[in-house]
Amino acid sequence: MADLNTDVRYIKGIGEKKALALHKLGVFTLYDLVSFFPRKYDDRTQYRPIALAMDGESVCIRAIAADVPRLTRIRRGLDLVKFKAVDDSGIVDITYFNQSYVKDNIHRGESYVFFGKMEVKGAHRSMTNPVYETDEKENGVTGRIVPIYRMSAGLNQRSILQAVRQGLDVCGEQIPDILPEALRLRCELAPARYAYENIHFPADFGALELARRRLIFEELFVLACALGRMRGQRVREGGIPVHESDLTEFWSTLPFSPTGAQRRAVDQAAKDLHSGSVMNRLVQGDVGSGKTLVAAALIWYVWKSGLSSAFMAPTEILADQHYHTLSGMLEPLGLRVGKLTGAMSAKEKREVKALLKDGQLDLIIGTHALFSQDVEYTNLGLVVTDEQHRFGVGQRSALIGKGQRPHVLVMSATPIPRTLALIIYGDLDVSVIDELPPGRQKVDTFAVNESYRSRLNGFIRKLCGEGRQVFVVCPMVEENEELPTPLKSAEEHAKELAEAFPELHVGCVHGKMKSKDKDAVMAAFVKGETDILVSTTVIEVGVDVPNAALMIVENAERFGLSQLHQLRGRVGRGQHKSWCILVSDADSDDVKARLGIMTRTSDGFKISEEDLRLRGPGDFFGARQHGLPETHIADLGADTDTLQRAQQEASLLLSQDPELLKPENRLLRERVELLFRENADSFN
Ligand code: ADP
Ligand code: MG
């Protein structure tokens, strides 16, 4: 007897090969199979008489094959099957390309349902490669809303659909309802069994909507419970007392005055610090808005109360950079600043750790090495994490776990909708830096195509001749990319550039390199030893190379606007006039519209709004920007109402049963634990 844990090979039609293909999609058991939700749906509910279908309309027709299908071989690799089909209203010519087997499946005089796009030219009607099935067939692929699944080689839509159908028939009744009954009724959610059936084979669009709502809620609810439970383990108690100090003393040491927004963010945080409870604040600000200075001011502020700070950066390079900036700013004021990164020698690390333990450092800057177990802090009052979304939620907790519940400041350049921030950061308060430092030069941005290549190379030569440096970013070429793509990989492109510019030094970083090698190449660029740095988006976050004056993005159509904006933020950080060139040969209107926005505006929030509007939130929050586990059906950007409700219900439930130990929450607890296990890397 099969149950939800049974191997997918149990399904008729799923042998070794197909099972392997399903594994690639994350489907191993029957439970996985019925939880493999469609990517989208095809509306095949509309029937038309042949003569009434309009040109370009996708419809079902019920028709009789009027002649014997003819197979014609046009040339090697191209054959056609053609025949005519009729109903009471008219005739349609049906053609299949490279599906010679259709010839044997269609029989003259028998009735079929065809679904496809009708083409009408005068009195002539035709359909190409329509989906078909015999008229009597039940649960087929016509006459209904048909699910479309994600694919991998070795599978086709029909085989997945049939497998899912069998899966539901065999063990649909066993799908547990992990939502507590009372909650399910209160939130007006469909039962699990109904939802799983209708997400795959919706009776109609209403049923589909009910199913989706239930499953999205369920997914977000489990996520909210998981995060909430983790957070609950760090109980909110009183914060370390910080006394008031006069910030003008700090501001007056700067070579410039802080912007109004920087001042506001610091004032808000300072207020948290002497409120008596622990600070949990997110500072959000566009690239270049000066978040580092906000951190510096607060590090100084807690130091005045005799407390030390830890500053965590996501990469070695950024840690180095922050070390330089912050020690330059704070050492003259009397703070003792140290650095701790994985790349340091064992001896250096030992020395720094000893100083830390001894209370000899007022600020330590580093990577995740900061929270390794053997690091002990004395008087830790403030933890700052930069570019927060690069860290797993659990990493942050690990650092916060050091010392006596320090105050927390997180800094991010990614604009996040309020509701999403709620789930990621829980009870974080938010300050927004909505103003750039004065005198910022605009980075002139142009969108060009390949025909500009030689002019572009001339420009590179000219700028490097003047001593400037150049970033070149290529899209990541995914391993599972289906077609051979014309995309340039960073490595190939770097080779081409090295040949084109024998007099210049070209460096290359990409995701497949070891992080040590990556850091070495980056460091050489930061020091000015290389002129051109070719990379995938590894440089997206925070790197400061004031001498870089040109950012070139290859295959710019492959990047989201927010990503392009982050990339552009890498130049124009020094006194040099800077440019951003977006290279793309794609000529769709959509691409033109997107790149056009980049050439016209430099406001990060405006750009991310446009990005959401044009691409839809799925992509925007895709690529694990937020450090949360991937969701299967919910869209963290779009399903905000449901997200909010799920968040509320999770808080309520956790307040009554923090460890989910009550019997009615057992299934939920198991799911939460499964989520932790499957996403160990983003939670830890
Ligand atoms: P981000 O918010 O992207 O982390 P940074 O903190 O790196 O921005 O600041 C970007 C640059 O702006 C730095 O070179 C910094 O010295 C400079 N800067 C920050 N605040 C001001 C200010 N108030 N006036 C002038 N320059 C500033
Ligand atoms: Mg920064």
Side-chain angles (χ1 to χ4, degrees):
M1 189 45 205
D3 63 27
L4 289 166
N5 294 319
T6 303
D7 196 287
V8 277
R9 269 168 282 220
Y10 175 87
I11 299 287
K12 254 204 321 238
I14 303 294
E16 248 357 90
K17 268 211 190 108
K18 287 204 170 120
L20 282 177
L22 281 169
H23 291 176
K24 287 219 177 87
L25 298 169
V27 175
F28 297 87
T29 65
L30 296 189
Y31 202 1
D32 297 334
L33 181 65
V34 298
S35 308
F36 185 64
F37 301 138
R39 183 168 62 82
K40 58 177 191 176
Y41 300 85
D42 226 356
D43 180 1
R44 300 181 187 168
T45 54
Q46 301 300 314
Y47 280 87
R48 293 272 188 286
I50 292 172
L52 295 186
M54 287 182 294
D55 187 34
E57 205 178 14
S58 290
V59 287
C60 292
I61 54 171
R62 197 185 300 276
I64 293 170
D67 50 14
V68 177
R70 296 171 309 280
L71 175 65
T72 330
R73 173 145 297 183
I74 304 291
R75 57 176 155 78
R76 218 176 129 90
L78 179 62
D79 50 44
L80 305 180
V81 174
K82 273 177 170 282
F83 59 93
K84 285 187 196 307
V86 297
D87 67 6
D88 292 346
S89 75
I91 303 179
V92 58
D93 273 320
I94 295 185
T95 307
Y96 288 90
F97 284 95
N98 289 341
Q99 299 180 37
S100 49
Y101 54 86
V102 172
K103 179 179 164 0
D104 303 321
N105 293 350
I106 299 279
H107 306 288
R108 178 163 65 166
E110 283 184 18
S111 179
Y112 301 89
V113 178
F114 298 95
F115 170 80
K117 195 195 274 184
M118 183 65 82
E119 286 165 57
V120 184
K121 283 209 180 73
H124 182 250
R125 288 167 181 268
S126 60
M127 264 189 183
T128 307
N129 293 342
V131 175
Y132 68 94
E133 58 195 349
T134 51
D135 204 1
E136 308 86 58
K137 217 171 196 174
E138 285 251 40
N139 264 334
V141 291
T142 65
R144 55 175 10 260
I145 303 167
V146 176
I148 311 286
Y149 296 93
R150 269 191 303 127
M151 271 307 193
S152 78
L155 290 168
N156 57 41
Q157 289 296 341
R158 219 183 269 230
S159 57
I160 297 188
L161 185 142
Q162 282 165 358
V164 171
R165 181 65 267 161
Q166 278 184 65
L168 283 168
D169 290 343
V170 172
C171 55
E173 295 303 331
Q174 301 169 38
I175 295 171
D177 202 323
I178 63 156
L179 295 181
E181 176 89 0
L183 178 154
R184 192 174 67 68
L185 295 175
R186 181 167 64 242
C187 298
E188 300 177 326
L189 299 166
R193 174 74 185 91
Y194 177 92
Y196 277 81
E197 175 67 32
N198 283 281
I199 199 71
H200 293 290
F201 303 105
D204 53 46
F205 282 102
L208 176 58
E209 194 41 43
L210 282 176
R212 268 179 54 78
R213 212 168 78 77
R214 143 84 202 208
L215 293 167
I216 289 171
F217 183 95
E218 173 176 320
E219 181 164 50
L220 294 174
F221 180 70
V222 169
L223 181 61
C225 284
L227 295 169
R229 207 178 87 165
M230 195 164 66
R231 207 174 289 131
Q233 285 153 2
R234 140 178 89 89
V235 189
R236 204 168 213 268
E237 282 176 24
I240 304 164
V242 174
H243 61 68
E244 283 198 57
S245 300
D246 186 0
L247 276 158
T248 45
E249 198 185 321
F250 175 78
W251 297 134
S252 65
T253 65
L254 299 176
F256 44 72
S257 28
T259 63
Q262 283 170 323
R263 228 183 253 274
R264 247 184 336 271
V266 172
D267 288 345
Q268 287 166 346
K271 215 172 188 180
D272 297 346
L273 291 173
H274 22 85
S275 70
S277 39
V278 67
M279 173 172 86
N280 255 316
R281 184 166 287 277
L282 168 69
V283 173
Q284 251 183 31
D286 206 351
V287 274
S289 60
K291 294 183 287 293
T292 319
L293 184 63
V294 171
L298 293 165
I299 290 164
W300 176 86
Y301 200 86
V302 301
W303 171 72
K304 293 292 270 183
S305 286
L307 298 168
S308 64
S309 301
F311 187 114
M312 182 160 74
T315 64
E316 299 266 341
I317 297 285
L318 283 172
D320 272 347
Q321 222 163 62
H322 285 310
Y323 176 71
H324 283 296
T325 320
L326 292 169
S327 57
M329 225 184 272
L330 296 168
E331 275 177 350
L333 300 175
L335 282 82
R336 297 159 298 176
V337 184
K339 187 177 86 171
L340 182 62
T341 69
M344 286 161 55
S345 73
K347 181 160 166 283
E348 289 170 318
K349 282 190 222 168
R350 232 180 2 255
E351 283 167 9
V352 174
K353 283 178 204 165
L355 287 175
L356 264 180
K357 189 175 171 190
D358 212 26
Q360 301 283 325
L361 290 176
D362 303 305
L363 169 62
I364 180 80
I365 296 156
T367 52
H368 50 277
L370 287 181
F371 57 81
S372 50
Q373 277 200 334
D374 57 345
V375 183
E376 288 176 59
Y377 292 86
T378 307
N379 270 341
L380 183 63
L382 173 66
V383 170
V384 183
T385 61
D386 190 19
E387 313 292 353
Q388 163 60 30
H389 60 276
R390 291 282 155 138
F391 295 105
V393 185
Q395 288 186 332
R396 184 155 43 97
S397 321
L399 189 52
I400 294 164
K402 298 274 184 191
Q404 301 276 352
R405 209 166 293 106
H407 299 285
V408 173
L409 184 73
V410 298
M411 307 198 292
S412 169
T414 317
I416 305 169
R418 184 82 195 96
T419 41
L420 187 58
L422 242 175
I423 221 175
I424 304 178
Y425 303 113
D427 47 2
L428 238 61
D429 300 306
V430 181
S431 299
V432 177
I433 311 191
D434 49 6
E435 185 184 350
L436 290 182
R440 265 301 146 73
Q441 291 189 35
K442 192 172 153 288
V443 177
D444 280 340
T445 305
F446 300 94
V448 304
N449 58 27
E450 277 301 326
S451 69
Y452 282 75
R453 183 63 67 190
S454 65
R455 259 188 274 179
L456 187 53
N457 284 351
F459 193 45
I460 295 177
R461 195 168 285 120
K462 172 171 170 291
L463 283 178
C464 291
E466 291 166 5
R468 300 289 79 73
Q469 288 166 282
V470 177
F471 283 112
V472 181
V473 175
C474 299
M476 197 110 72
V477 181
E478 299 281 347
E479 283 188 29
N480 57 7
E481 201 97 45
E482 282 168 17
L483 306 162
T485 74
L487 297 182
K488 283 190 178 143
S489 80
E491 269 175 302
E492 282 167 40
H493 193 52
K495 237 184 251 154
E496 283 174 29
L497 287 171
E499 277 161 25
F501 302 103
E503 74 282 14
L504 299 176
H505 292 105
V506 180
C508 177
V509 245
H510 55 79
K512 291 193 196 89
M513 289 162 70
K514 288 208 197 95
S515 63
K516 229 175 120 189
D517 300 336
K518 254 192 262 188
D519 286 343
V521 178
M522 288 297 296
F525 189 70
V526 171
K527 280 190 238 148
E529 293 166 6
T530 28
D531 304 289
I532 304 176
L533 181 68
V534 184
S535 69
T536 49
T537 47
V538 289
I539 55 140
E540 193 181 324
V541 169
V543 194
D544 205 10
V545 185
N547 191 43
L550 174 59
M551 164 62 67
I552 298 172
V553 183
E554 299 288 341
N555 291 104
E557 75 282 357
R558 298 281 282 198
F559 295 85
L561 285 185
S562 298
Q563 226 178 351
L564 289 175
H565 179 65
Q566 291 281 324
L567 290 171
R568 178 168 61 183
R570 298 301 112 223
V571 296
R573 299 172 79 86
Q575 75 271 33
H576 308 291
K577 168 81 198 131
S578 300
W579 289 268
C580 173
I581 313 281
L582 308 171
V583 186
S584 174
D585 255 359
D587 59 1
S588 79
D589 289 344
D590 170 60
V591 170
K592 283 192 181 135
R594 287 201 289 127
L595 300 186
I597 290 164
M598 290 301 296
T599 63
R600 286 190 304 275
T601 172
S602 50
D603 177 334
F605 276 87
K606 215 180 262 165
I607 286 172
S608 71
E609 271 171 29
E610 287 288 335
D611 205 10
L612 270 169
R613 198 176 59 76
L614 287 172
R615 304 209 306 164
D619 287 343
F620 185 74
F621 288 107
R624 313 187 108 210
Q625 277 286 338
H626 39 62
L628 288 175
E630 247 169 308
T631 52
H632 298 286
I633 182 167
D635 184 332
L636 291 175
D639 297 316
T640 49
D641 289 347
T642 313
L643 181 57
Q644 204 153 14
R645 187 74 201 265
Q647 172 71 28
Q648 279 165 6
E649 289 291 342
S651 307
L652 181 66
L653 190 83
L654 287 171
S655 71
Q656 294 156 355
D657 185 11
E659 292 294 322
L660 302 175
L661 293 174
K662 292 189 181 164
E664 68 268 30
N665 297 330
R666 182 180 61 87
L667 290 169
L668 178 61
R669 188 181 73 236
E670 285 171 11
R671 266 290 275 283
V672 165
E673 280 161 5
L674 181 68
L675 184 73
F676 273 108
R677 275 202 303 283
E678 286 179 346
N679 294 283
D681 54 335
S682 64
F683 282 121
N684 292 308

